[in-house]
């Protein structure tokens, strides 16, 4: 059970909407108040506005937001409180026992009408051309409290628009100075770039100096703005809100699996906005998740392709032709020369279908893009998920980030860490190269060898870990693809056991995956079976089934390889393929993904795939027919039943299944250079010695984040013109 506190004017402001009154009553004292003649009990310290909300009475507001500090700027939330000489701003007034609150009196109505009249004095009445039309809080409230004519006869002021970058469009004449955007940028995003200059009628919101918003969460100010002062620049003048069809889904462009709403018109995705999910993203999403949707329209694979042996170029073919070629290659290939690769955006239905298909053909070689699955030891989920959960990181008192730039890999998670640091005093430390995380951190260095110093108790930070009650380690996904990955993970497990990172009631060992398809692939055991792996009998034939992976370095040196690429974009993976099968993007199919904390989630199809593209699991099902090893499931429901058979994770959606911590047993075999015994083979000793040598060789190699450019990380974002403009603006400091 958790209460969210914000260090504001009212220091014990409680976000009551996330919890029932019964849950709150278990934690805090309740006091009686009267709202419009009805007695209710509310937690001590909440504001009058929150008490009214709990009583089911809506109080209009513009500046108040439950996740931001209290400003009390707009005064639209005025209510009458007994024995108070004048109406009070309910957002900033703490409740008192037996307080009598009235929200429907003539005095309240007149006060709100007066506030509305002042707000509209300088506001341009340009609703017909405003992108906020239909979703504007000022528009809604003016229908209730506004007048049909104004007493203001002077000229309205005009304010110069600010250039905030390629994402946020500004029409500052519409601004009502609620300061939501300022407080979000400062308190949540952690960038000191927005503020108020001037006083009274000359007040303006903008940047102190002419500069762009540098936050990876900047798009959230669009949702926060109650008027049309801040709107989406890519979405401008493209559609009206009432023309859009909403579809609830999830984001897969990072490992968090943020809840999103996809708004579409016809066959085109028009915009993406966040949905509330307290356990994952609260109500924020990253700019990449919000604005990269234009990449869904560019460089798409909308038909099957096959390489012409005469010209050595890919040419369009029919589905039947492509499936016949793929089926023949798979069915005639030696099992030892087959390999399957899962991409970072692959959904779980297609992964399990591909694994079943390749297993039916005798294939034992599998690879997950960006991850050394053999080194991780996927037998226990605790080795590759966030065991403390996304919400649980706020319960830590010391956080050590290893090889992770959380601001780039998971901006929403970074906002949680910032809140824990600033409001809760959680101590942060980093090991590796990273940029500004928006909160103070202790930089331990960049080399992996520092972990050995921590294990030996020689490092100054060792004492901090030792004294921590709930220490937490966040391992970046880049660590999972280093040559010394196994030895590094073993050392981190030893560190966890040594400093109490994992106890009976706390597991602070966390692996932060950077993409939406990685955790699901590991849950489904998409890993090479070393016990069955043998050298191929037909070395001249190698067939590789690439499910959306753009990382082709793993088989670039293979001779006479035949590559089958199945994906939704014509990127690097498709360019080097012999046959291309057009799949569907995450907005175009009903699919299951598992986020970095091991939470299975469902994405829903908002639009249809382009052209002849199809849902990926259906393509693999058709391939199995032509390969003469038909899969045993024909419907999506049957495929999902197969998911639940393989892993219990998929039996419950939107829930996190607890995992068993093996106390370092997962890596007990790694790097042991003990004397050979009767039970230890020479090959094992050689392997362990090699692992130890690798660790010593790469110990001085800096730990880096897997992401260098936040805006360009996968096939969708690489095809996005908006993300390209953001990348250029980031590099040059100019939006032009």
């Amino acid at each position: 059970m958790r209460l969210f506190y914000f260090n504001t004017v009212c220091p014990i402001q409680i976000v009551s909407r996330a919890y029932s009154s019964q849950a709150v009553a278990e934690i805090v004292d309740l006091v009686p108040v009267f709202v419009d003649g009805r007695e209710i009990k509310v937690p001590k310290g909440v504001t009058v506005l929150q008490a009214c909300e709990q009583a089911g009475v809506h109080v209009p507001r513009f500046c108040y937001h439950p996740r931001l500090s209290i400003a009390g700027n707009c005064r639209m939330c005025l209510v009458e409180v007994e024995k108070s000489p004048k109406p009070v701003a309910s957002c900033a007034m703490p409740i008192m026992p037996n307080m009598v609150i009235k929200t429907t009196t003539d005095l309240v109505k007149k006060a709100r009408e007066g506030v509305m009249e002042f707000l509209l004095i300088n506001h341009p009445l340009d609703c017909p051309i405003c992108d906020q039309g239909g979703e504007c809080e000022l528009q809604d409230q003016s229908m209730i409290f506004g007048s049909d004519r104004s007493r203001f006869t002077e000229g309205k002021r005009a304010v110069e628009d600010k250039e905030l970058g390629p994402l946020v469009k500004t029409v500052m004449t519409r601004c009502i100075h609620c300061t939501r955007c300022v407080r979000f940028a400062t308190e949540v995003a952690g960038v000191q770039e927005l503020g108020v200059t001037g006083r009274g009628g000359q007040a303006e919101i903008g940047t102190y100096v002419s500069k762009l918003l540098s936050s990876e969460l900047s798009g959230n100010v669009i949702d926060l703005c109650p008027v049309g002062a801040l709107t989406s620049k890519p979405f401008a003048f493209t559609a009206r809100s009432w023309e859009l069809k909403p579809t609830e889904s999830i984001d897969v462009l990072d490992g968090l699996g943020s809840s999103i709403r996809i708004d579409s018109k016809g066959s085109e995705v028009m915009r993406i906005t966040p949905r509330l999910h307290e356990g994952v993203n609260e109500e924020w999403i990253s700019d990449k998740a919000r604005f990269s949707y234009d990449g869904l329209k560019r460089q798409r694979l909308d038909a099957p392709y096959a390489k012409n042996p005469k010209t050595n170029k890919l040419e369009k073919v029919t589905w039947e032709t492509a499936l016949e070629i793929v089926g023949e290659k798979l069915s005639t290939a030696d099992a030892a020369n087959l390999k399957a690769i899962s991409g970072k955006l692959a959904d779980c239905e297609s992964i399990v279908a591909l694994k079943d298909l390749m297993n039916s053909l005798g294939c034992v070689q599998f690879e997950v893009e960006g991850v050394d699955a053999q080194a991780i030891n996927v037998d226990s989920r605790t080795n590759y998920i966030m065991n403390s959960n996304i919400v649980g990181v706020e319960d830590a008192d010391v956080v050590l980030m290893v090889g992770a730039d959380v601001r780039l890999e998971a901006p929403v998670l970074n906002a949680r860490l910032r809140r824990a640091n600033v409001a809760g005093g959680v101590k942060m430390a980093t090991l590796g190269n990273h940029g500004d995380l928006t909160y103070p951190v202790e930089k331990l260095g960049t080399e992996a060898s520092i972990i050995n110093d921590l294990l030996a108790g020689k490092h100054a930070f060792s004492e901090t870990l030792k004294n921590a009650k709930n220490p937490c380690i966040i391992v970046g996904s880049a660590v999972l693809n280093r040559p010394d990955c196994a030895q590094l993970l073993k050392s981190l497990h030893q560190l966890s056991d040594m400093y109490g990172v994992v106890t009976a009631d706390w597991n602070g060992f966390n692996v932060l995956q950077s993409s939406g398809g990685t955790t699901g692939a590991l849950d489904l055991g998409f890993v090479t079976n070393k016990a069955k792996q043998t050298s191929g009998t037909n070395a001249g034939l190698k067939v590789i089934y690439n499910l959306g992976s753009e990382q082709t370095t793993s088989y670039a040196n293979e001779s006479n390889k035949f590559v089958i690429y199945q994906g939704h974009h014509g990127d690097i993976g498709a360019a080097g393929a012999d046959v291309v099968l057009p799949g569907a993007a995450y907005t175009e199919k009903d699919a299951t993904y598992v986020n970095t904390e091991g939470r299975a989630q469902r994405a829903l199809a908002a639009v249809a795939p382009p052209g002849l593209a199809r849902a990926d699991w259906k393509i693999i099902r058709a391939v199995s027919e032509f390969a003469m090893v038909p899969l045993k499931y024909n419907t999506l429901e049957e495929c999902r039943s197969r998911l639940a058979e393989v892993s219990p994770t998929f039996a419950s959606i939107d829930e996190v299944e607890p995992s068993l911590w093996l106390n370092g047993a997962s890596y007990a075999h790694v790097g042991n250079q003990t004397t050979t015994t009767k039970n230890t083979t020479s090959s094992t000793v050689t392997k362990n010695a090699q692992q130890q040598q690798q660790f010593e060789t790469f110990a001085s190699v800096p730990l880096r984040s897997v992401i260098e450019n936040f805006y360009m990380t996968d096939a969708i974002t690489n095809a996005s013109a908006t993300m390209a403009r953001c990348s250029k603006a980031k590099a040059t400091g100019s939006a032009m």
Side-chain angles (χ1 to χ4, degrees), residues 76-116:
M76 196 65 201
C77 63
L78 292 175
V79 298
E80 186 178 354
V81 176
E82 194 173 74
K83 298 181 181 180
S84 178
K86 58 182 180 180
V88 300
S90 60
C91 68
M93 174 65 73
I95 60 99
M96 299 293 289
N98 298 312
M99 178 180 281
V100 179
I101 305 165
K102 300 176 182 178
T103 66
T104 58
T105 63
D106 291 340
L107 177 63
V108 171
K109 185 174 183 297
K110 186 176 180 180
R112 293 174 181 175
E113 289 174 349
V115 171
M116 179 58 65

Side-chain angles (χ1 to χ4, degrees), residues 475-718:
V475 182
S477 58
V479 173
L480 307 182
N481 205 28
R482 285 173 59 102
D484 57 347
C485 171
Q487 187 65 44
L488 261 176
L489 289 175
K490 177 180 181 179
S491 299
L492 290 171
H493 273 235
Q494 292 173 340
L495 197 71
S496 300
D497 294 333
M498 180 177 177
Y499 291 105
V501 175
V502 181
T503 61
D505 55 354
W506 169 253
N507 190 333
F509 183 82
N510 300 300
V511 176
L512 177 59
Q513 303 291 353
S514 60
S515 59
T518 304
T519 308
L522 297 176
D523 276 343
L524 293 170
F526 208 83
V527 182
T528 297
N529 190 332
K530 291 291 187 180
K532 297 182 179 180
Q533 188 177 15
T534 59
S535 58
T537 58
N538 189 356
L541 178 63
K542 295 182 175 130
V543 180
I544 300 167
Y545 203 123
N546 184 350
L547 183 60
S549 173
E550 306 300 328
Q551 182 178 304
T552 60
T553 54
S554 61
Y555 58 83
N557 297 325
E558 298 286 348
S559 59
N560 300 321
K561 62 183 181 295
F562 186 89
V563 180
I564 306 159
Y565 178 82
Q566 180 178 324
H568 41 74
H569 275 75
D571 211 324
I572 300 173
D578 295 278
V579 175
V580 176
L581 306 177
Y586 73 103
T587 59
E588 301 158 358
K589 56 187 174 184
D590 294 338
T592 305
Y593 296 89
V594 184
N595 74 349
T596 189
E597 62 179 347
R599 183 191 302 268
Q601 299 174 291
R602 291 276 167 78
L604 301 179
V607 296
L612 298 177
R614 296 293 183 267
D616 291 277
W617 81 270
K618 291 183 178 180
I619 297 174
I620 297 170
R621 176 66 181 80
V623 168
S624 71
E625 292 283 350
F626 283 82
M628 306 302 177
V629 283
L631 298 178
K632 296 180 180 180
Y633 34 87
N634 301 307
T635 66
L636 181 61
E637 289 71 23
E638 291 175 351
C639 184
R640 286 175 172 172
S641 296
R642 173 59 179 159
L643 284 175
E645 289 178 9
V646 177
S647 173
T649 302
F650 303 98
S652 54
I653 301 299
D654 202 32
E655 295 181 9
V656 181
E657 296 291 328
S659 301
L660 178 65
W661 179 257
L662 299 178
N663 296 321
S666 299
Y667 303 98
H669 64 286
V670 177
N672 293 328
Q673 300 187 70
T674 56
T675 305
T676 305
T677 64
K678 295 180 179 179
N679 298 323
T680 306
T681 65
S682 59
S683 61
T684 303
V685 174
T686 303
K687 179 182 178 182
N688 292 333
Q690 290 174 348
Q691 291 170 334
Q692 181 66 23
Q693 186 179 0
Q694 281 183 333
F695 179 71
E696 293 173 355
T697 303
F698 292 95
S700 59
V701 177
L703 290 160
R704 300 180 180 274
S705 169
V706 70
I707 296 177
E708 296 182 1
N709 184 351
F710 168 76
Y711 301 103
M712 300 283 190
T713 56
D714 51 74
I716 296 175
T717 54
N718 288 340

Side-chain angles (χ1 to χ4, degrees), residues 223-547:
D223 302 326
L224 289 171
C225 184
V227 296
L230 303 177
T231 55
S232 172
K233 191 174 285 188
F235 179 68
F237 308 122
T238 57
R240 285 298 194 180
S241 59
W242 54 83
E243 299 174 329
L244 305 176
K245 183 189 75 172
T247 304
E248 294 186 352
S249 188
I250 59 167
D251 172 55
V252 301
L253 302 183
D254 63 28
L256 244 61
S258 300
S259 295
I260 60 173
R261 189 188 77 190
I262 303 172
D263 290 336
S264 59
K265 184 179 180 182
S267 61
E268 185 177 348
V269 175
M270 303 303 296
R271 69 177 180 182
I272 293 177
T273 55
R275 289 189 297 120
L276 178 68
H277 195 307
E278 294 290 351
V280 181
N281 60 303
E282 297 179 308
E283 55 190 278
W284 321 123
I285 57 172
S286 69
D287 289 346
K288 183 166 56 178
R290 184 187 295 269
F291 294 109
S292 63
Y293 58 85
D294 65 321
L296 297 168
K297 300 182 291 184
R298 297 177 174 89
Q299 210 172 327
R300 291 301 303 272
L301 298 173
D302 57 358
Y305 290 81
K307 188 172 287 186
N308 188 325
K310 296 180 179 179
T311 62
N312 203 35
K313 294 182 178 180
L314 289 170
E315 297 178 356
K316 281 188 180 181
V317 296
T318 64
W319 264 114
E320 185 176 3
T321 301
L323 292 173
E324 285 178 351
I325 296 173
V326 172
E328 181 186 0
K329 288 292 183 180
L330 290 174
S331 60
T332 58
D334 192 296
N337 298 126
L338 290 173
K339 185 176 184 179
I341 304 174
S342 174
K344 61 174 65 176
L345 301 183
D347 61 279
C348 295
E349 286 85 355
S350 61
I351 293 173
V352 75
L354 180 58
K355 190 171 188 297
D356 286 345
L357 168 63
M358 302 305 281
N359 283 339
S360 300
L361 296 169
C363 173
V364 297
Q365 299 186 71
F366 298 91
E367 180 182 335
V368 180
E369 182 181 4
V371 171
D372 185 357
Q374 298 298 322
I376 297 175
N377 192 341
V378 298
D379 293 336
S380 175
R381 299 183 84 212
T382 56
N383 296 330
Y384 57 84
I385 67 171
M386 290 191 67
N387 295 288
S388 65
N389 300 343
I390 295 171
V391 173
V393 297
E394 297 183 65
D395 293 329
D397 51 359
V398 174
V399 177
L400 173 61
M401 290 167 269
V402 181
D405 191 335
V406 185
R407 179 175 176 178
L408 300 184
E409 296 179 36
V412 177
L413 176 63
N414 194 63
R416 282 187 183 270
L417 292 173
R418 170 179 164 78
R419 184 170 66 202
N421 176 264
V422 175
V426 178
K427 188 175 180 59
M428 305 290 180
T430 59
L431 180 56
N433 283 330
H434 60 83
D436 178 20
L437 297 179
T438 72
Y439 46 84
V441 297
E442 182 178 346
K443 299 180 180 180
L444 307 185
T446 62
E447 299 180 352
S449 58
I450 296 175
I451 299 175
N452 290 334
D453 296 336
L454 291 170
L455 285 171
K458 299 177 181 178
H459 200 280
F461 193 71
S462 301
E463 195 66 22
T464 304
L465 285 173
K466 182 179 178 181
N467 296 329
K469 183 180 179 181
N470 289 335
C472 171
I473 296 176
I474 299 178
V475 182
S477 58
V479 173
L480 307 182
N481 205 28
R482 285 173 59 102
D484 57 347
C485 171
Q487 187 65 44
L488 261 176
L489 289 175
K490 177 180 181 179
S491 299
L492 290 171
H493 273 235
Q494 292 173 340
L495 197 71
S496 300
D497 294 333
M498 180 177 177
Y499 291 105
V501 175
V502 181
T503 61
D505 55 354
W506 169 253
N507 190 333
F509 183 82
N510 300 300
V511 176
L512 177 59
Q513 303 291 353
S514 60
S515 59
T518 304
T519 308
L522 297 176
D523 276 343
L524 293 170
F526 208 83
V527 182
T528 297
N529 190 332
K530 291 291 187 180
K532 297 182 179 180
Q533 188 177 15
T534 59
S535 58
T537 58
N538 189 356
L541 178 63
K542 295 182 175 130
V543 180
I544 300 167
Y545 203 123
N546 184 350
L547 183 60

Side-chain angles (χ1 to χ4, degrees), residues 119-135:
L119 290 175
L120 294 178
I121 280 178
N122 286 310
H123 194 84
L125 301 181
D126 58 351
C127 300
I129 63 167
C130 179
D131 271 321
Q132 196 76 2
E135 300 173 316

